[in-house]
Amino acid sequence: MSDYNAIREECLAANLALPKTGLVDLTFGNVSVADPERRVFAIKPSGVDYTELTAADMVILDFDGNTVEGDLRPSSDTPTHRCLFLNFPGIRSVVHTHSRSAVAFAQAGVDLPCFGTTHCDYFHGPVPVTRGMTPEEVGGDYEWETGQVIVERFKAAEIDPLNVPAVLVRNHGPFAWGPSGAKAVETAQALEIVADMAIKTLAVNPSAPQAPEHLLNKHFFRKHGPGAYYGQPKTSQS
Amino acid sequence: MSDYNAIREECLAANLALPKTGLVDLTFGNVSVADPERRVFAIKPSGVDYTELTAADMVILDFDGNTVEGDLRPSSDTPTHRCLFLNFPGIRSVVHTHSRSAVAFAQAGVDLPCFGTTHCDYFHGPVPVTRGMTPEEVGGDYEWETGQVIVERFKAAEIDPLNVPAVLVRNHGPFAWGPSGAKAVETAQALEIVADMAIKTLAVNPSAPQAPEHLLNKHFFRKHGPGAYYGQPKTSQS
Amino acid sequence: MSDYNAIREECLAANLALPKTGLVDLTFGNVSVADPERRVFAIKPSGVDYTELTAADMVILDFDGNTVEGDLRPSSDTPTHRCLFLNFPGIRSVVHTHSRSAVAFAQAGVDLPCFGTTHCDYFHGPVPVTRGMTPEEVGGDYEWETGQVIVERFKAAEIDPLNVPAVLVRNHGPFAWGPSGAKAVETAQALEIVADMAIKTLAVNPSAPQAPEHLLNKHFFRKHGPGAYYGQPKTSQS
Amino acid sequence: MSDYNAIREECLAANLALPKTGLVDLTFGNVSVADPERRVFAIKPSGVDYTELTAADMVILDFDGNTVEGDLRPSSDTPTHRCLFLNFPGIRSVVHTHSRSAVAFAQAGVDLPCFGTTHCDYFHGPVPVTRGMTPEEVGGDYEWETGQVIVERFKAAEIDPLNVPAVLVRNHGPFAWGPSGAKAVETAQALEIVADMAIKTLAVNPSAPQAPEHLLNKHFFRKHGPGAYYGQPKTSQS
């Protein structure tokens, strides 16, 4: 198996956790986990059923896109994952799903608004939708270009991918990321929850305003950064 | 049991898979599997509970509608299935359900739009709704005529049933088809998923545009036809 | 236990089947089963948890409302059930739930439209909503008067309760009925399914037309009455 | 463990019941149970997984906010719970969730209308939304101020918290309360059910009127207060 066992195992665990979240229909969904210092990542093989996955099935690629280990073809979305690892320093895992409510915003071409504290706890502002891709981009290295339009979207609006750890690819669906496979899966789950809440919110009030800036800051930084006070302090836990 | 065991077993397996997909309420749903070379097909008997079905219960009919084997009355939708086998060469299995979101488009009389890649992966364009049936058609050989309006809809719009393997019968519900019982059930499942996504998409943006043609072609042909590169190549799998 | 064991057992079975349908939230829901020839019926006791019910708990009342057997107080909705048994000859069981989509139409004050064949298979036309009850009716013998407005609604519009075996009590919820406890529960389930489909249909097309009369007749009478051809004929089943 | 075992155990049981209701996504949700005579309450520790909770983990605080017993940090929402115990005499338990349909009304900034008897059975009138909190309130003792805006809302509109045992905190979510942990959890569940029904009701009829006053009074007081006749009388039960 090699010395990539740690990311293989973390990648397998995250891929197996995904269907249990209810985010996955049929086989839509994959998770990658990187070792950024060694510039490699593990990813789910393409079109293999979740029930049959083993750590040995995970494909290991380097950040230039070369397969380092693995007999199976990696997920067709692999170049998108690689593009995010290269451009969003500080992330270690990427999750892609077709979860239904997040897809609805991606298909509607509407940024997911920040309507309340559930959203604020995970995302410091709306989750953006990418622009439509050109025929050239789709006809070229499509999955790599998908990553490029994500990066473009964050750069153009000066969004920090560590503060808004998800995106909606137009006419496609969500990608989420984080510091570990488990956390990236949790973020993908939170994204679907707040998207569902947002659809219901719009059903009650089509012109519902977003949460005010001071509430957004309060909730996001209550859980993130040096001022966080949610959960147990590191020293008090056994 | 006879020499129709292969299609009996495949038909039973597909009928038993159907309730597990969540597509079936009460007893609405049936699957047929054909042996096109011998011009026969197996189909679920009418009004028998899924929990009691056996391979021996499957009714075998020929393409002219005569019962070849079986003591039970075949599904009341049998003539619709037969009409599709006769008119859509290349298909081997037909699935009928009343899955709720697909029914919503059928009842709304609205073609299911292609809003994104989940749809494109299964259907090369919108899933069409048939026209309303006349009193004569409904009062005559109703289930056969149901098949006829499906065929008419595909012919009139020059839709290839192998590229758009499903239809919405107006004021009724979906039929899906494919090269095997398992694949036809999967397509019926995908249809319900994309219909649910479409309802949510319209809730977010009632004037959401469809996915552009180049994205549709890319995704459909990424999974279908000679240029497909999704999943594992045949030679690399054990 | 007495000689009312048959309706006790049927009533218990139907009450236990109800929560398994997903129609019941908390403790909203009850079923009664009558022996019309002896003019008595069994009904669930009030506020007893489904998990603890026994046949002996069922309360037996006569059609005049007197308790014939049973130590527990019958369901507070008992007078509504009694009113339906007295006025709708031919029914043997009444089911009351607060199933969510049916409640939505009751609360919206909108008759449940007949949008398609799933509806036609169970109900020969829209499922009607009753008028609002007056302060006098609500302040008087409320549950009996609830039955009276149901009966009034069917008589005024000349709806045959055997052809449309359900109603939506305004600002309250659905009652369904049938020839047996099992069939009445199935009808309550079908009502919720078609109400859910109708909400989704209206989401896709707010001005969706109802199914044409000839389709309604075809589907209803395909399953009901002397011309029925759905399911297995009585003689061919073992 | 001390002499607070009774509220520890009741608090644990209610916290464990919460995820089973389907109201909890991820770790959003907490329950407290008070002993008002001794002016103390037990509450869930912050950010601890439901599957690992024990009675010993419950944190005991007094009504002034001092920790009386417990090594873990209490839920970050603790000051909100404390504020409600101080201002709403007669309640013994507070439940906070992010249940999705109730959150939708909180995010939409719309009081949850009383559309029917399911609502009337639990809440004597609409469930109110609080006003938006100022930057000073959010930047100050945020969770305490959250309690203050709830109290302000009930006082300003002269709503009796025992008759309307829940609130929707704007851009946040619901709090419910009651005489015991079990009853408060049941009320949180009823709130989500009626919020879901209300969203569906508005989908069918955006201008649906609320239930009339006489129906509201009838249903609420059928279950509450000296005239109640729902369930079994105390004396008839073993």
Side-chain angles (χ1 to χ4, degrees):
Chain A
M1 290 263 292
S2 84
D3 46 3
Y4 299 116
N5 281 349
I7 57 172
R8 278 183 189 281
E9 292 290 349
E10 184 177 347
C11 188
L12 175 67
N15 274 291
L16 294 182
L18 205 54
K20 290 176 191 160
T21 61
L23 302 184
V24 172
D25 288 307
L26 302 169
T27 59
F28 294 110
N30 46 66
V31 188
S32 61
V33 174
D35 182 338
E37 297 193 0
R38 299 169 75 187
R39 295 176 59 83
V40 293
F41 63 102
I43 194 164
K44 181 173 173 280
S46 180
V48 175
D49 203 78
Y50 285 101
T51 57
E52 301 169 4
L53 282 182
T54 66
D57 291 336
M58 301 297 119
V59 186
I60 308 291
L61 297 104
D62 65 25
F63 276 20
D64 298 320
N66 305 303
T67 297
V68 175
E69 282 186 5
D71 297 328
L72 296 170
R73 192 185 272 179
S75 165
S76 57
D77 296 308
T78 298
T80 314
H81 291 244
R82 184 168 73 88
C83 187
L84 297 182
F85 286 129
L86 282 172
N87 286 279
F88 291 170
I91 71 173
R92 271 193 64 244
S93 177
V94 174
V95 174
H96 174 49
T97 79
H98 286 205
S99 70
R100 299 186 189 185
S101 299
V103 162
F105 279 90
Q107 292 190 155
V110 173
D111 290 356
L112 175 63
C114 175
F115 283 133
T117 62
T118 319
H119 185 119
C120 304
D121 280 342
Y122 283 89
F123 308 103
H124 190 249
V127 177
V129 177
T130 59
R131 66 164 169 81
M133 294 172 72
T134 65
E136 291 70 31
E137 288 166 340
V138 170
D141 192 352
Y142 169 60
E143 289 85 1
W144 172 258
E145 298 295 344
T146 300
Q148 292 286 78
V149 296
I150 295 172
V151 172
E152 175 191 317
R153 182 72 179 80
F154 276 66
K155 288 205 169 136
E158 296 186 350
I159 303 168
D160 181 343
L162 299 188
N163 283 351
V164 180
V167 73
L168 303 167
V169 176
R170 188 178 289 254
N171 296 127
H172 189 156
F175 284 81
W177 48 82
S180 67
K183 184 66 185 172
V185 168
E186 180 189 331
T187 299
Q189 208 174 343
L191 178 64
E192 180 63 11
I193 292 164
V194 295
D196 180 41
M197 286 173 172
I199 291 174
K200 291 177 162 70
T201 300
L202 292 168
V204 174
N205 181 0
S207 57
Q210 297 201 44
E213 189 75 12
H214 55 272
L215 193 66
L216 171 58
N217 287 332
K218 174 69 183 180
H219 269 265
F220 188 75
F221 295 116
R222 188 167 80 152
K223 281 198 171 180
H224 301 85
Y229 61 95
Y230 184 88
Q232 301 301 324
K234 298 279 155 65
T235 52
S236 79
Q237 288 190 307
S238 57
Chain B
M1 290 262 291
S2 86
D3 46 3
Y4 299 117
N5 281 349
I7 58 173
R8 277 182 189 282
E9 291 290 349
E10 184 177 347
C11 187
L12 174 67
N15 275 291
L16 293 181
L18 205 54
K20 290 178 190 158
T21 61
L23 302 184
V24 173
D25 288 308
L26 302 170
T27 60
F28 295 110
N30 46 65
V31 188
S32 62
V33 173
D35 181 339
E37 297 192 0
R38 299 168 75 187
R39 295 176 59 84
V40 293
F41 63 102
I43 193 163
K44 181 172 173 282
S46 181
V48 174
D49 202 80
Y50 285 103
T51 56
E52 302 169 4
L53 283 181
T54 66
D57 290 336
M58 300 298 119
V59 186
I60 308 292
L61 297 104
D62 66 24
F63 276 19
D64 298 321
N66 305 304
T67 297
V68 175
E69 281 186 5
D71 297 326
L72 296 170
R73 191 185 273 179
S75 164
S76 57
D77 296 308
T78 298
T80 314
H81 290 245
R82 184 168 73 86
C83 186
L84 297 182
F85 286 129
L86 282 172
N87 286 279
F88 291 169
I91 71 173
R92 271 194 64 245
S93 177
V94 174
V95 175
H96 174 49
T97 80
H98 286 204
S99 69
R100 300 185 189 185
S101 299
V103 162
F105 279 89
Q107 294 189 154
V110 173
D111 290 355
L112 175 62
C114 176
F115 282 134
T117 62
T118 320
H119 186 118
C120 303
D121 280 342
Y122 282 89
F123 309 103
H124 191 249
V127 177
V129 177
T130 59
R131 66 166 169 79
M133 295 173 72
T134 65
E136 290 69 32
E137 288 166 340
V138 170
D141 192 352
Y142 169 58
E143 290 84 3
W144 172 259
E145 297 294 344
T146 300
Q148 292 288 76
V149 296
I150 295 172
V151 172
E152 174 191 318
R153 181 72 180 80
F154 277 67
K155 288 205 170 136
E158 297 187 351
I159 303 168
D160 181 344
L162 299 187
N163 284 351
V164 180
V167 73
L168 303 167
V169 176
R170 187 178 291 255
N171 296 127
H172 188 157
F175 284 81
W177 48 82
S180 67
K183 185 66 185 173
V185 169
E186 180 188 331
T187 299
Q189 208 173 344
L191 178 64
E192 179 63 10
I193 292 164
V194 296
D196 180 42
M197 287 172 172
I199 291 174
K200 291 177 162 70
T201 300
L202 291 168
V204 174
N205 181 359
S207 57
Q210 296 201 46
E213 190 74 14
H214 55 272
L215 193 66
L216 171 58
N217 288 331
K218 174 69 183 181
H219 268 265
F220 188 77
F221 296 116
R222 187 167 82 151
K223 282 198 170 180
H224 302 86
Y229 61 95
Y230 185 89
Q232 302 301 325
K234 297 280 155 63
T235 53
S236 79
Q237 288 190 307
S238 57
Chain C
M1 290 264 291
S2 85
D3 46 3
Y4 300 116
N5 281 348
I7 58 173
R8 278 183 190 281
E9 293 290 349
E10 183 177 347
C11 188
L12 174 67
N15 274 291
L16 294 181
L18 205 54
K20 291 177 190 158
T21 60
L23 301 184
V24 172
D25 288 308
L26 302 169
T27 59
F28 295 110
N30 46 67
V31 188
S32 61
V33 174
D35 181 338
E37 298 193 359
R38 298 168 75 187
R39 295 176 61 82
V40 293
F41 63 102
I43 193 164
K44 181 173 173 282
S46 180
V48 174
D49 203 79
Y50 286 101
T51 56
E52 302 169 3
L53 283 181
T54 66
D57 291 336
M58 301 297 119
V59 185
I60 308 291
L61 296 104
D62 65 26
F63 276 20
D64 298 321
N66 306 302
T67 297
V68 175
E69 282 186 4
D71 297 327
L72 296 171
R73 193 185 271 179
S75 165
S76 58
D77 295 308
T78 298
T80 315
H81 291 244
R82 185 169 73 88
C83 188
L84 297 182
F85 286 129
L86 282 172
N87 286 280
F88 291 169
I91 71 173
R92 271 194 65 246
S93 177
V94 174
V95 176
H96 174 48
T97 79
H98 286 205
S99 69
R100 300 187 190 186
S101 299
V103 162
F105 279 90
Q107 293 189 155
V110 173
D111 289 356
L112 175 62
C114 176
F115 283 133
T117 62
T118 320
H119 186 118
C120 304
D121 281 342
Y122 283 89
F123 308 103
H124 191 249
V127 177
V129 177
T130 59
R131 66 165 169 81
M133 294 172 72
T134 65
E136 290 69 34
E137 289 166 340
V138 170
D141 192 354
Y142 170 59
E143 289 85 1
W144 173 260
E145 297 295 343
T146 299
Q148 292 286 77
V149 296
I150 296 172
V151 173
E152 174 191 318
R153 182 71 180 81
F154 276 66
K155 288 206 170 136
E158 296 186 353
I159 303 168
D160 182 343
L162 299 187
N163 283 351
V164 179
V167 73
L168 303 167
V169 176
R170 187 178 290 254
N171 296 127
H172 189 156
F175 284 81
W177 48 82
S180 67
K183 185 65 185 173
V185 169
E186 181 188 331
T187 299
Q189 208 172 344
L191 179 64
E192 179 63 10
I193 292 164
V194 295
D196 180 42
M197 287 173 170
I199 292 174
K200 291 177 162 70
T201 300
L202 292 168
V204 174
N205 181 359
S207 56
Q210 296 202 47
E213 190 74 13
H214 54 272
L215 193 66
L216 171 58
N217 287 331
K218 174 69 183 180
H219 268 265
F220 189 76
F221 295 114
R222 187 167 81 152
K223 281 198 170 181
H224 302 85
Y229 61 96
Y230 185 89
Q232 301 301 325
K234 297 279 155 66
T235 53
S236 78
Q237 289 190 306
S238 57
Chain D
M1 289 266 289
S2 85
D3 45 3
Y4 299 117
N5 281 349
I7 57 173
R8 278 182 189 282
E9 292 291 348
E10 184 177 346
C11 187
L12 174 68
N15 274 291
L16 294 181
L18 205 54
K20 291 177 190 159
T21 60
L23 302 184
V24 172
D25 288 308
L26 302 169
T27 60
F28 295 110
N30 46 66
V31 187
S32 62
V33 174
D35 181 338
E37 298 193 359
R38 299 168 76 187
R39 296 176 59 84
V40 293
F41 63 102
I43 193 164
K44 180 172 173 281
S46 180
V48 175
D49 204 78
Y50 286 101
T51 56
E52 302 169 3
L53 283 181
T54 67
D57 290 336
M58 301 297 120
V59 185
I60 308 291
L61 296 104
D62 65 25
F63 276 20
D64 298 321
N66 305 304
T67 298
V68 174
E69 281 186 5
D71 297 327
L72 296 170
R73 192 186 272 180
S75 164
S76 58
D77 295 308
T78 298
T80 314
H81 291 244
R82 183 169 74 87
C83 187
L84 297 182
F85 286 128
L86 282 171
N87 286 279
F88 290 170
I91 71 173
R92 270 194 65 245
S93 176
V94 174
V95 175
H96 174 48
T97 80
H98 286 204
S99 69
R100 299 186 190 186
S101 299
V103 162
F105 279 90
Q107 294 189 156
V110 174
D111 289 356
L112 175 62
C114 175
F115 282 133
T117 63
T118 320
H119 185 119
C120 305
D121 280 342
Y122 283 88
F123 308 103
H124 190 249
V127 178
V129 178
T130 59
R131 65 166 169 79
M133 295 171 73
T134 65
E136 290 69 32
E137 288 166 340
V138 170
D141 192 353
Y142 169 59
E143 289 85 1
W144 172 260
E145 297 295 344
T146 299
Q148 292 286 77
V149 296
I150 295 172
V151 173
E152 173 191 318
R153 182 71 179 81
F154 276 66
K155 289 204 170 137
E158 296 187 351
I159 303 169
D160 181 344
L162 299 188
N163 283 351
V164 179
V167 73
L168 303 167
V169 176
R170 188 177 289 254
N171 296 128
H172 188 156
F175 284 81
W177 49 81
S180 67
K183 185 66 185 172
V185 168
E186 181 188 330
T187 299
Q189 208 173 344
L191 178 64
E192 179 64 11
I193 291 164
V194 295
D196 180 42
M197 287 173 171
I199 292 173
K200 291 177 162 70
T201 299
L202 291 168
V204 173
N205 180 359
S207 56
Q210 296 202 45
E213 190 74 12
H214 55 272
L215 193 66
L216 171 58
N217 287 331
K218 174 70 183 180
H219 269 265
F220 188 77
F221 296 115
R222 188 167 79 152
K223 282 199 171 179
H224 301 86
Y229 61 95
Y230 185 88
Q232 301 301 326
K234 297 280 154 64
T235 52
S236 79
Q237 288 190 307
S238 57

